[in-house]
Amino acid sequence: MCQRLDKLDSRIDRLESRVDGLEEMLTSLDNYVRIDMDTRLKHVELTVENRMLPVLLDLRSCYEDTYERYRKWADHLEGMNQDVILLKRTVTEHSKKLEQLS
């Protein structure tokens, strides 16, 4: 009976040793994944900050300038539209007066 218990103890010791080894491997893998993820996240952050952000700021600047030009022209177009309406009315009136004189 003692011999069987000794064998059982021996097997349990080996199992505990293997479980300890697995725990170490999992801890090592967890640390690797965390470090890898941190590294990748930093890389993404730096890429966004150094490459994408300047491009986006340039695009925004171009669109803001273009918008400002179109906005100013929109104001001018409204005035020009009023001038054209007035010119049409004046030409129509003058044409009628010229017909009456003929």
Side-chain angles (χ1 to χ4, degrees), residues 3 7 10 16 21 23 29 47 54 70-71 77 79-80 99:
Q3 190 178 12
K7 283 183 183 181
S10 174
E16 285 177 345
E23 285 177 344
L29 181 60
T47 299
Y70 286 149
R71 187 186 62 75
L77 286 176
M80 288 177 13
E99 284 179 12

Side-chain angles (χ1 to χ4, degrees), residues 14 17 31 36-37 44 51 66 69 74 84 89 97-98:
R14 285 193 309 246
S17 174
N31 289 337
D36 188 50
M37 291 300 288
V44 168
R51 291 187 181 171
T66 303
R69 281 197 315 269
V84 168
R89 192 177 303 142
K97 286 181 183 177
L98 280 175

